[in-house]
Amino acid sequence: KEFLDAASGLGQQLLLQGRLHGPESLSRELFASALRLADNQGLLDGADLAARRVRFAERVEDVVARVTVIDEIDAATRQEAAGVEP
């Protein structure tokens, strides 16, 4: 509960600073799911914690980069289908 309260507070601050896309990013359930994911990935405690967190962050960054490429391809395809020059 304490962690989720802190995450919610930080999320509110980031939203007010315009660093989040919208209030849906502040869902307590989203934070709880992220915490469960971190636990499932062994990122909350244990030996070599920093290295495991770095590897996980690298995997997430890779997925985000791939999704960005997919989004760019989708946007170009939509423009092409609509007859709009890119």
Side-chain angles (χ1 to χ4, degrees), residues 4-75:
L4 294 177
D5 289 344
S8 293
L10 178 60
Q12 286 288 342
Q13 180 182 352
L14 294 174
L15 182 65
L16 292 172
Q17 292 174 349
R19 295 176 64 189
L20 294 178
H21 293 292
E24 63 278 353
S25 301
L26 301 178
S27 162
R28 194 168 184 90
E29 182 56 37
L30 185 63
F31 289 138
S33 295
L35 187 57
R36 284 192 303 274
L37 173 64
D39 189 31
N40 288 339
Q41 295 290 314
L43 303 175
L44 299 183
D45 55 23
D48 202 26
L49 187 58
R52 285 186 281 131
R53 287 179 176 176
V54 167
R55 284 192 302 273
F56 180 74
E58 289 169 348
R59 289 195 323 259
V60 170
E61 289 171 358
D62 180 59
V63 169
V64 169
R66 291 169 185 255
V67 169
T68 299
V69 169
I70 291 168
D71 184 52
E72 291 168 355
I73 292 169
D74 179 58

